[in-house]
Amino acid sequence: MTISLTERDVAWIIEQVIKNVEQAAGTHNGHVSPVKTASEATIGKTESSTGAPLFVSVAEAVSAAHKAQQEYTANFKIEDRNNIIASIREAAKREAETIAEMIFEETGLGRKEDKVAKILLAVLKTPGVEDLKTTAISGDYGLTIEEMAPFGVIGAITPVTNPAETIINNAISMLAAGNSVVFNVHPSSVKCCSYVVRLLDSAIRQGGGPANLITMIENPTIDTLNEIASDPKVNLLVGTGGAGLVRALLRSGKKTIGAGAGNPPVVVDETADIEHAAKSIIEGAAFDNNILCIAEKEVFAVQAIADELIYHMLQNGAYMLGRQELAKVMDLTLTADEKSGAASCSGKREIEYHVKKEWIGKSAESILNAIGVKKDNIKILLCEVDFSHPYVQLEQMMPVLPIVRCTDVDEAITMAVRAEQGNQHTASIFSRDVVNMTRFAKAINTTLFVKNAPTLAGVGYKGEGSTTFTIAGPTGEGVTSAKTFTRVRRCTLAEGGFRII
Ligand code: NAD
């Protein structure tokens, strides 16, 4: 018998052998393999020949997730879901340091200790099965109940800024709701996401669940995303990322939950506790070097307290860029392109700014170093600018915080609403005037509106309430949790049951 192998087959065989050798050695890129943390017996029984839960082929990933979801629905009770979720939480908590290190190494974004905090937030504050509520209506005509039923297979797209955190958060919410999920992760986070998907798959099986409730595409691209979107076995798409991603998913014609970009403004009025405002804004804006979509991106301070606010910021880890330093930081971190089309009356063409990817998520000190300023213990670079400055208008995701002086709170609110760009994502205010708080909240109408705290409080970090890493502003679901990933199923028993008696 002759067997003919294509080049692709050979490459695949080599890859599997390398994987097996790595697993046998118990290491994966220098880290303890998650496969090692699961019992040998469980893995031996369920690991498929395709390298599940990671799949090269979209069709195979979707089929495996579909089969797993059908088994999940048919043979697993709510109590079983609870055990599976508990096992996921336990594994992700145990491995939080390793995962944070892997994310940092692979993406080069943010700060390792803040990533540990984000992972623990996802582990501890993502609601599980308890989020699902059945409503019952009873009366003369019988009984009607409305249950939260699963969608089935979910296609989930994750961002590079919270790669593994989003997988942990989404997996808990989606599985608690009875679904399975196929992840198409950001290509720059494939290694850490593979590690986490394997870790969670092992944990699910250790918790008594079926394999492949979560699967991942090994080489995710926009093409694989399109394949997921058009697969008839995928019932729901959930996209966490920028505006382009959300637009692409909405064009697919499939039910979509879209969590898009933000550009959160902060308003500080003359009634605020200014020292507290300064400390809180620095804490939020510096967290993970400002890569969070909810992080404070620009400040609108009323003239009467602007100097005091800046003074307290400087006392708490901020550095004020001088005019020339600001020009150098702009040169370093932004590209300036002339807009195409007609020139203005003065003959000048308008400039369009873009953030240079290589500076996203870098530390304030490394930006300062790059412009030749040596300073220690700097968390945030401040600059005083006007409303039209690119650092105000762009979602820059760097620890560079522009401050705009406003004549009064009315002007601050008007500017903040415009700077948020209609994303309806996140905003905050420091004030003791409840009327100002309410006016701003109504005018900006964001999913998260935080008063007198870092915006992190809005996702339950040192704040009340549950957390999410998928804040669905554009499609309106808001702070997503298990119930978001359910369909409402109505079940009616008519005649009050009397005919049966
Ligand atoms: P990104 O939009 O570049 O990528 C996100 C995901 O979408 C990736 O998996 C990427 O491969 C894919 N993608 C990107 N453009 C696409 C397109 N046109 N068609 C199909 N797929 C596409 O975003 P990022 O840099 O990974 O993350 C940062 C962005 O995500 C920021 O704008 C941030 O505000 C936003 N974000 C939002 C939330 C939220 O909950 N609303 C959470 C985290 C990040």
Side-chain angles (χ1 to χ4, degrees):
M1 186 177 74
T2 53
I3 300 171
S4 58
L5 294 174
T6 63
E7 262 182 47
R8 208 175 151 186
D9 293 331
V10 175
W12 183 83
I13 291 166
I14 292 170
E15 202 185 317
Q16 296 310 306
V17 171
I18 291 170
K19 258 187 213 162
N20 288 341
V21 170
E22 276 181 351
Q23 282 172 9
T27 59
H28 177 70
N29 292 332
H31 299 275
V32 177
S33 163
V35 174
K36 264 286 213 186
T37 63
S39 83
E40 298 284 332
T42 319
I43 290 153
K45 258 188 265 164
T46 52
E47 197 96 0
S48 100
S49 59
T50 56
L54 267 54
F55 292 85
V56 175
S57 142
V58 169
E60 283 180 25
V62 172
S63 278
H66 183 249
K67 190 167 159 256
Q69 200 274 331
Q70 294 211 313
E71 199 187 333
Y72 197 36
T73 304
N75 303 326
F76 290 81
K77 300 190 297 253
I78 299 288
E79 194 184 338
D80 300 323
R81 286 192 208 171
N82 257 328
N83 293 336
I84 290 165
I85 301 299
S87 186
I88 289 178
R89 291 191 207 275
E90 200 275 317
K93 188 176 172 194
R94 190 183 62 231
E95 298 260 347
E97 291 267 347
T98 306
I99 298 167
E101 178 102 40
M102 290 187 81
I103 301 171
F104 184 70
E105 266 177 31
E106 185 177 5
T107 66
L109 304 176
R111 293 150 46 88
K112 199 193 129 187
E113 57 273 32
D114 295 338
K115 295 187 190 306
V116 174
K118 287 196 293 181
I119 292 165
L120 294 179
L121 182 66
V123 165
L124 299 172
K125 293 197 88 174
T126 303
V129 171
E130 71 284 358
D131 197 45
L132 309 178
K133 302 268 185 289
T134 299
T135 52
I137 307 138
S138 70
D140 292 346
Y141 294 101
L143 171 70
T144 289
I145 58 168
E146 284 181 346
E147 292 183 309
M148 294 183 164
F151 268 91
V153 180
I154 299 176
I157 298 86
T158 56
V160 70
T161 46
N162 301 321
E165 303 89 323
T166 307
I167 289 180
I168 296 164
N169 167 256
N170 281 185
I172 293 174
S173 303
M174 292 169 183
L175 268 56
N179 304 287
S180 64
V181 50
V182 180
F183 284 107
N184 203 71
V185 306
H186 192 289
S188 307
S189 61
V190 164
K191 272 195 217 158
C192 58
C193 290
S194 306
Y195 185 88
V196 169
V197 165
R198 283 203 167 109
L199 175 74
L200 300 195
D201 177 67
S202 282
I204 291 165
R205 288 183 277 122
Q206 281 200 316
N212 296 327
L213 276 181
I214 59 171
T215 61
M216 175 181 148
I217 308 303
E218 264 195 48
N219 300 305
T221 60
I222 290 189
D223 288 343
T224 59
L225 170 60
N226 289 335
E227 269 190 76
I228 292 173
S230 57
D231 193 306
K233 289 200 185 96
V234 174
N235 309 98
L236 171 67
L237 298 172
V238 179
T240 310
L245 166 70
V246 175
R247 274 196 301 272
L249 292 186
L250 286 170
R251 275 197 301 270
S252 73
K254 195 159 271 184
K255 162 82 183 172
T256 292
I257 294 174
N263 193 32
V266 187
V267 166
V268 187
D269 77 10
E270 63 277 22
T271 70
D273 175 340
I274 304 301
E275 187 175 355
H276 170 72
K279 285 181 181 165
S280 301
I281 295 168
I282 302 277
E283 183 184 346
F287 187 85
D288 217 10
N289 292 338
N290 202 268
I291 57 174
L292 275 72
C293 56
I294 60 163
E296 293 82 351
K297 298 279 189 292
E298 60 276 339
V299 179
F300 298 95
V302 301
Q303 173 67 34
I305 50 81
D307 286 332
E308 193 186 343
L309 181 70
I310 291 169
Y311 168 80
H312 286 295
M313 285 177 151
L314 296 176
Q315 299 299 307
N316 287 282
Y319 175 88
M320 178 61 84
L321 295 168
R323 189 184 283 259
Q324 287 181 356
E325 289 170 338
L326 175 59
K328 284 185 192 169
V329 171
M330 285 177 69
D331 258 5
L332 182 76
T333 61
L334 303 176
T335 54
D337 306 317
E338 276 189 0
K339 264 192 186 171
S340 54
S344 70
C345 310
S346 64
K348 280 189 182 165
R349 288 194 185 276
E350 264 190 79
I351 303 289
E352 196 167 48
Y353 289 93
H354 299 278
V355 179
K356 287 186 194 161
K357 276 198 172 159
E358 60 269 32
W359 285 100
I360 290 177
K362 295 294 179 286
S363 71
E365 286 170 7
S366 66
I367 295 173
L368 272 185
N369 268 338
I371 62 158
V373 179
K374 298 266 177 282
K375 284 268 172 200
D376 291 332
N377 302 320
I378 299 299
K379 298 179 194 161
I380 280 286
L381 305 182
L382 293 180
C383 50
E384 256 206 81
V385 295
D386 61 23
F387 174 76
S388 58
H389 195 277
Y391 283 145
V392 174
Q393 302 299 323
L394 291 173
E395 188 199 22
Q396 82 273 34
M397 295 193 283
M398 292 179 293
V400 180
L401 190 64
I403 300 190
V404 180
R405 275 177 206 252
C406 307
T407 47
D408 54 25
V409 74
D410 289 341
E411 189 181 54
I413 290 175
T414 305
M415 285 184 178
V417 169
R418 282 171 58 204
E420 213 270 327
Q421 320 275 352
N423 293 319
Q424 297 188 302
H425 195 298
T426 299
S428 66
I429 184 167
F430 289 84
S431 174
R432 289 186 177 110
D433 184 329
V434 78
V435 175
N436 287 351
M437 292 179 193
T438 309
R439 277 176 47 227
F440 184 30
K442 281 189 174 176
I444 201 155
N445 196 18
T446 44
T447 303
L448 300 181
F449 188 79
V450 178
K451 295 160 222 166
N452 298 324
T455 51
L456 283 161
V459 288
Y461 183 84
K462 300 186 197 169
E464 290 305 322
S466 61
T467 203
T468 184
F469 282 74
T470 296
I471 299 157
T475 48
E477 293 79 3
V479 176
T480 58
S481 60
K483 63 175 174 288
T484 316
F485 305 111
T486 59
R487 299 165 49 245
V488 176
R489 186 172 61 195
R490 179 178 271 214
C491 190
T492 300
L493 175 68
E495 305 275 355
F498 294 133
R499 287 274 164 89
I500 302 165
I501 296 169

